[in-house]
Amino acid sequence: MSTTRTLRTDVAIVGGGIVGSSAALALRRMGLDVVLLERDLCGSRSSGVNYGGVRRQGRPLSQLPLAQRAHRIWGRLGELIGTEGEYQRSGHFKIGRSEDDMAALERYRASVRDAGFDLGLELVTGARLREHCPWLGARALGGSLCIEDGQANPRLVSPAFALAAQRAGARVFERHRVDEVAHDGTLFRLCATHAEGTLEVRSPVLLNCAGAWSGPIATHFGEAVPLQSGHPAMAVTEPLPFFMDWSLGVEGGGIYCRQVARGNLVLGGGAGIGLDAERARSERDAIATLSTQAIELLPRLAHAHFIRTWSGTEGYLPDRQPVLGPSRTTPGLFHGFGFAGAGFQIGPAAGEVLAELARDGRSTTPIEAFAIERFFPDTRAERPAEAAASASH
């Protein structure tokens, strides 16, 4: 028999990815009551199917305050969520394949340094490159190393944030699809359907962390943004003798690759396809291209076998920056979506920022570059004073 249950909470969160789950955990550590609604399993969407890169290098300067905050969180991951999730500060090496690439890496290093961020970037070329990386193909001229960047297993880390939030007292409801959202001027009302009926949640604060599916919520509150779905092409090889500790990327984009402790190499690059609104996969052509690029980069992969390929659905905005901050139309609504395939490292910091916004109406981390107002240049809607509305205590 179908039932309807109603809950009241300080903060409601839609979306159990790494951003929403991190926000739930941070809010519980602040002492606020939290209900998190996830239509599938927490961490099973883009937060759980991504490459697993935990890097600051290569991010735009506007993201570095958030990335630096996240770097500190990753450093105490075990204490925070009860698992290390295979996190290693193994180093991230961005490869240059031309003199232009190397010049771009040098310019990036200078811009980071001039902006006051200490990422410890080091250019590696020539004999030192060949000595340290004998496994690199001949096209690599050099690269930029960030020794304290690294990698982790997203399939372990992302769900662990939700479990940690639950242990801390958050009420987490998986397989609860939010079908209705409304706001009466004071409270949000969310209706989520599940196998046994309907869960109704009432809250003065709503965090929109639904990833690639955040658009309908923003649109409902008069903030239609050009959020598009993207689908990474991913693959993993059989275990190989361990030879490479750095996580690799390529200047200008393209393939990325890391080797885990048991020997498998995780690779990504190119695009998969969306099968429908919820499913995606890597196509044969994308995997063939990925294979060619991988062997060029790492000749040792010439005879390796892929044992699995996959894809997922990620939310992309045209400027490849997230929306992170208060709604311009609705008091108590805060957005955190559109991380464009690069949200895994900064996700825990984005969650903490959202928790600060929910409680205090402001964050200690600069987030002006991520305001939703950038998509509404022709309007001057004044943000309601109550947008800083905090939870009830």
Side-chain angles (χ1 to χ4, degrees):
M1 188 172 90
S2 178
T3 62
T4 298
R5 179 185 178 197
T6 300
L7 296 176
R8 171 70 187 260
T9 186
D10 295 329
V11 182
I13 302 173
V14 179
I18 195 168
V19 175
S21 297
S22 300
L25 177 59
L27 286 162
R28 282 305 303 145
R29 291 166 66 91
M30 294 173 177
L32 274 70
D33 191 32
V34 183
V35 170
L36 187 154
L37 301 169
E38 164 57 45
R39 70 176 183 171
D40 200 338
L41 299 176
C42 289
S44 63
R45 297 293 177 170
S46 59
S47 295
V49 301
N50 63 78
Y51 165 67
V54 186
R55 64 164 180 84
R56 296 163 294 165
Q57 179 173 210
R59 292 185 181 276
L61 297 181
S62 57
Q63 289 189 14
L64 286 183
L66 201 60
Q68 291 289 72
R69 180 171 183 166
H71 186 64
R72 295 189 290 272
I73 297 172
W74 282 96
R76 53 187 180 88
L77 197 66
E79 165 203 338
L80 190 64
I81 65 173
T83 178
E84 297 293 343
E86 300 179 7
Y87 173 56
Q88 304 174 60
R89 289 188 173 174
S90 56
H92 173 258
F93 190 62
K94 187 174 284 293
I95 295 170
R97 296 177 292 184
S98 67
E99 294 298 339
D100 287 346
D101 287 350
M102 294 305 299
L105 292 170
E106 174 55 41
R107 286 194 300 273
Y108 181 76
R109 181 173 72 160
S111 68
V112 167
R113 182 185 58 227
D114 293 346
F117 297 102
D118 180 13
L119 303 188
L121 298 178
E122 180 185 4
L123 296 188
V124 180
T125 58
R128 184 163 171 244
L129 177 75
R130 297 301 164 196
E131 179 183 359
H132 194 93
C133 313
W135 32 266
L136 270 177
R139 280 203 61 193
L141 295 185
S144 173
L145 175 65
C146 183
I147 195 63
E148 289 204 343
D149 281 355
Q151 56 184 292
N153 187 335
R155 293 182 180 276
L156 299 178
V157 172
S158 298
F161 269 99
L163 288 172
Q166 195 168 34
R167 287 195 300 271
R171 289 177 283 180
V172 176
F173 296 92
E174 296 180 316
R175 301 201 188 284
H176 280 60
R177 178 190 298 270
V178 174
D179 294 321
E180 295 180 37
V181 182
H183 187 244
D184 64 7
T186 303
L187 293 177
F188 292 93
R189 174 179 170 273
L190 297 89
C191 290
T193 56
H194 56 95
E196 284 77 38
T198 301
L199 176 66
E200 181 179 296
V201 179
R202 294 178 181 271
S203 171
V205 177
L206 172 62
L207 305 185
N208 177 17
C209 306
W213 298 271
S214 295
I217 295 177
T219 299
H220 179 80
F221 292 105
E223 298 176 299
V225 294
L227 183 67
Q228 300 289 328
S229 293
H231 313 285
M234 307 293 303
V236 62
T237 72
E238 62 188 326
L240 301 173
F242 192 86
F243 65 92
M244 182 180 78
D245 47 8
W246 292 344
S247 176
L248 302 181
V250 175
E251 170 60 22
I255 187 174
Y256 35 95
C257 179
R258 63 188 181 92
Q259 188 172 26
V260 304
R262 71 183 68 87
N264 311 76
L265 280 95
V266 181
L267 302 101
I273 60 168
L275 299 176
D276 53 36
E278 299 185 6
R279 299 177 302 153
R281 74 179 182 195
S282 294
E283 275 196 316
R284 179 181 301 176
D285 288 350
I287 294 300
T289 301
L290 180 62
S291 302
T292 301
Q293 294 175 335
I295 293 169
E296 179 185 73
L297 190 68
L298 300 169
R300 293 189 186 192
L301 295 183
H303 302 292
H305 293 93
F306 286 142
I307 58 173
R308 187 167 68 89
T309 66
W310 71 95
S311 184
T313 301
E314 300 172 325
Y316 286 77
L317 290 159
D319 58 4
R320 298 297 183 100
Q321 295 271 34
V323 168
L324 181 61
S327 163
R328 56 188 281 281
T329 65
T330 309
L333 173 62
F334 300 94
H335 300 295
F337 63 83
F339 289 87
F344 187 52
Q345 192 269 345
I346 59 176
E352 284 194 353
V353 165
L354 287 166
E356 290 177 338
L357 292 170
R359 184 187 64 176
D360 306 325
R362 64 186 66 84
S363 174
T364 55
T365 298
I367 55 172
E368 291 77 10
F370 317 128
I372 200 167
E373 279 87 346
R374 70 186 192 270
F375 295 107
F376 304 92
D378 298 328
T379 62
R380 292 291 183 269
E382 185 175 343
R383 181 176 297 164
E386 305 95 299
S390 58
S392 56
H393 55 130

